[in-house]
């Protein structure tokens, strides 16, 4: 669904306005991270553990305490972000578009946190549907109606529609959370552990910040180099590459609470089988989608997005390969985060971001969007190597293709002597 919205926006806005929209949404993604402060990842793990142990006081305390934490973090983030936006190169000419950013950021943060609450309660598919289907679906419908009746679209107008449809999705998400809360939860006193939560959320926050920087550094580098059309090409490439990475994203969201439960119950064998199955599904799903793109070539990009986006094909292929590299290494990020190894994930993303930034800075002036895509591919590979090594060293588990091969060898019957 998000891919379809990207196609709409690319066609309605054109490369330059779509580049502006992409720059602002990259800032939304970055600012949503301190708004959540790692509490989204933490609430998935903690609610999954408390649910498996039927510990309702701890469940209630975690839900209420972390929800308040997200609200406070969002307010502080907006206070700091407003004056910083004046440093953006296009602020003076497009301040009306940037104004929507401050309204969208806390709504996106609350949607992410609410989806985390549902995942922690075991409603994984429903949780994923709000951000992956409902919100973009409402946005796509609003874009179509406005374009049909007015025949004009700008980045500022698209951002306004984005905010309004996100509010509608947030209301429906809150109703779903209330529907699935445990019975008799209100009769229990909550157990609050703010120091423990902060200690666990800090590395998760740092990891998510690095992950988001790694994903958005390309658009930011191109934006600061004053290449609006190149920003539009990269936005198209990145939006399509996210579509190719959708199997990985969905699988990680589904298995995260199960990882926490199996680890809490010390069921290592089941956990290894879960990681192997996730790796197989990610590799087949991502690889199949990339094969279709390679077979179709540039004509497919032109047919979908329009003739002005033909130059997006090469960076699109490179970014798709970065997602395939992630699939080969398996769901190591989810595994480490859900087993109290957040520090390893943080360092892995720091390492990947370093590779991405250095190579992108070296290549962006000469190769534009393709140069940044090469930097992101290098970052994905270096991050995957490190986190796979840490999964094996600390947990004795192999989350990627190597784990699949090891599991197959162990299942093969040995010849009788």
């Amino acid at each position: 669904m998000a891919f379809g919205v990207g196609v709409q926006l690319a066609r309605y806005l054109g490369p330059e306005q779509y580049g502006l929209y992409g720059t602002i949404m990259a800032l939304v993604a970055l600012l949503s991270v301190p708004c959540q402060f790692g509490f989204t990842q933490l609430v998935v793990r903690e609610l999954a553990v408390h649910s498996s142990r039927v510990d309702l006081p701890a469940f209630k305390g975690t839900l209420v305490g972390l929800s308040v934490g997200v609200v406070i973090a969002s307010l502080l983030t907006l206070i700091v972000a407003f004056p910083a936006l004046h440093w953006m190169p296009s602020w003076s000419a497009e301040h009306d578009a940037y104004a929507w950013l401050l309204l969208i950021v806390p709504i996106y943060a609350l949607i992410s946190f609410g989806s985390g609450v549902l995942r922690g309660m075991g409603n994984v598919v429903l949780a994923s549907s709000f951000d992956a289907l409902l919100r973009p679906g409402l946005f796509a419908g609003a874009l179509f109606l406005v374009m049909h009746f007015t025949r004009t679209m700008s980045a500022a107008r698209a951002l306004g529609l984005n905010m309004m449809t996100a509010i509608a999705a947030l209301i429906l998400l809150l109703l779903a959370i209330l529907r699935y809360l445990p019975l008799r939860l209100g009769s229990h006193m909550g157990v609050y552990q703010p120091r423990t939560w902060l200690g666990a959320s800090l590395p998760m926050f740092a990891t998510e910040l690095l992950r988001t920087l790694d994903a958005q550094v390309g658009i930011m580098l191109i934006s600061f180099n004053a290449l609006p059309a190149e920003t539009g090409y990269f936005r198209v490439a990145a939006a399509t590459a996210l579509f190719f990475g959708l199997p990985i994203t969905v699988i990680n969201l589904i298995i995260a609470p199960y990882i926490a439960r199996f680890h809490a119950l010390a069921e290592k064998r089941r956990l290894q089988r879960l990681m192997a199955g996730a790796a197989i599904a990610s590799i087949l799903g991502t690889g199949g989608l990339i094969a279709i793109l390679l077979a179709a070539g540039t004509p497919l990009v032109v047919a979908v997005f329009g003739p002005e986006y033909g130059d997006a094909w090469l960076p699109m292929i490179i970014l798709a390969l970065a997602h395939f590299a992630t699939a080969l290494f398996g769901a190591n990020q989810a595994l480490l985060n859900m087993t109290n190894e957040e520090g390893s994930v943080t360092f892995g993303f720091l390492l990947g971001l370093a590779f991405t930034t250095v190579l992108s800075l070296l290549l962006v002036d000469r190769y534009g969007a393709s140069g940044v895509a090469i930097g992101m591919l290098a970052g994905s590979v270096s991050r995957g190597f490190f986190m796979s090594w840490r999964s094996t060293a600390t947990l004795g588990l192999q989350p990627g293709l190597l784990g699949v091969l090891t599991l197959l060898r162990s299942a093969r019957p040995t010849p009788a002597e």
Side-chain angles (χ1 to χ4, degrees):
M1 186 62 72
F3 175 74
V5 173
V7 173
Q8 279 184 290
L9 288 168
R11 285 186 170 274
Y12 293 169
L13 296 176
E16 292 197 6
Q17 279 289 294
Y18 190 44
L20 173 62
Y21 178 89
T23 298
I24 293 175
M25 290 308 296
L27 289 172
V28 168
L30 288 172
L31 293 175
S32 295
V33 178
C35 286
Q36 297 170 69
F37 205 74
F39 295 149
T40 296
Q41 294 85 351
L42 183 61
V43 81
V44 175
R45 188 183 77 187
E46 294 300 300
L47 292 188
V49 171
H50 298 325
S51 296
S52 65
R53 297 172 178 170
V54 198
D55 189 347
L56 292 182
F59 184 103
K60 182 177 181 179
T62 299
L63 179 60
V64 174
L66 295 184
S67 298
V68 172
V70 170
V71 173
I72 294 173
S74 296
L75 292 174
L76 293 176
T77 299
L78 294 180
I79 291 172
V80 174
F82 178 71
L85 290 178
H86 291 74
W87 291 94
M88 293 300 299
S90 54
W91 166 264
S92 58
E94 301 288 353
H95 59 271
D96 55 336
Y98 279 96
W100 289 109
L101 179 150
L102 298 174
L103 300 174
I104 295 173
V105 166
I107 299 171
Y108 268 49
L110 290 171
I111 290 175
S112 294
F113 180 78
S115 297
V117 170
L118 282 178
R119 293 201 305 275
M121 291 192 293
N123 298 287
V124 178
V125 175
L126 179 63
S128 302
S129 67
F130 282 94
D131 202 39
L133 295 176
L134 179 63
R135 182 184 56 78
L138 293 173
F139 187 28
L143 285 171
F144 174 79
L145 290 174
V146 171
M147 192 67 181
H148 178 74
F149 288 108
T150 67
R151 300 294 179 185
T152 59
M153 186 64 66
S154 65
R157 179 173 289 184
L159 289 163
L161 293 173
N162 193 337
M163 185 205 71
M164 289 185 287
T165 53
I167 290 175
L170 177 60
I171 293 172
L172 294 174
L173 174 60
L174 292 175
L175 292 175
I177 291 173
L178 293 174
R179 166 69 177 78
Y180 288 102
L181 285 176
L183 296 176
R184 301 184 304 278
L185 185 65
S187 62
H188 292 269
M189 293 292 293
V191 175
Y192 300 92
Q193 299 176 306
R195 291 185 179 180
T196 302
W197 295 335
L198 284 175
S201 68
L202 278 173
M204 290 184 176
F205 160 66
T207 299
E208 187 64 16
L209 180 61
L210 291 171
R211 186 195 67 79
T212 307
L213 282 170
D214 186 62
Q216 305 299 336
V217 67
I219 285 181
M220 302 309 301
L221 285 173
I222 296 173
S223 299
F224 276 102
N225 277 271
L227 300 170
E230 283 289 323
T231 307
Y233 300 149
F234 189 84
R235 176 73 181 181
V236 164
T240 308
L242 285 177
F243 175 70
F244 295 124
L246 184 61
I248 306 169
T249 303
V250 172
I251 290 167
N252 283 354
L253 291 175
I254 291 173
I255 68 173
Y258 296 101
I259 293 173
R261 287 171 186 167
F262 292 162
H263 181 68
L265 298 172
E267 296 185 1
K268 186 175 179 180
R269 180 69 177 176
R270 292 183 69 187
L271 186 52
Q272 178 62 75
R273 287 200 301 267
L274 175 68
M275 302 309 297
I280 293 172
S282 297
I283 292 169
L284 292 178
T286 304
L289 293 173
I290 293 174
I292 294 173
L293 179 62
L294 286 171
T298 305
L300 176 62
V301 179
V302 172
V304 174
F305 293 98
E308 59 267 61
Y309 290 100
D311 289 341
W313 185 80
L314 181 57
M316 188 182 298
I317 288 294
I318 299 171
L319 290 176
L321 292 175
H323 283 288
F324 187 67
T326 300
L328 289 175
F329 289 112
N332 43 40
Q333 179 189 353
L335 175 63
L336 292 169
N337 265 335
M338 294 296 109
T339 55
N340 303 309
E341 291 290 337
E342 301 92 346
S344 296
V345 181
T346 302
F347 187 84
F349 272 98
L350 180 61
L351 180 66
L353 180 61
F355 273 88
T356 296
T357 304
V358 171
L359 277 178
S360 296
L361 287 172
L362 291 174
L363 299 174
V364 64
D365 287 336
R366 184 169 182 178
Y367 299 105
S370 296
V372 174
I374 293 171
M376 296 184 75
L377 173 59
S380 296
V381 172
S382 60
R383 180 177 64 248
F385 265 119
F386 175 79
M387 287 200 287
S388 292
W389 170 71
R390 288 298 297 168
S391 297
T392 303
T394 60
L395 302 170
L397 297 169
Q398 297 171 325
L401 180 61
L402 184 60
V404 175
L405 298 176
T406 301
L407 201 62
L408 290 175
R409 283 198 300 268
S410 65
R412 184 183 306 168
T414 56
E417 295 183 359

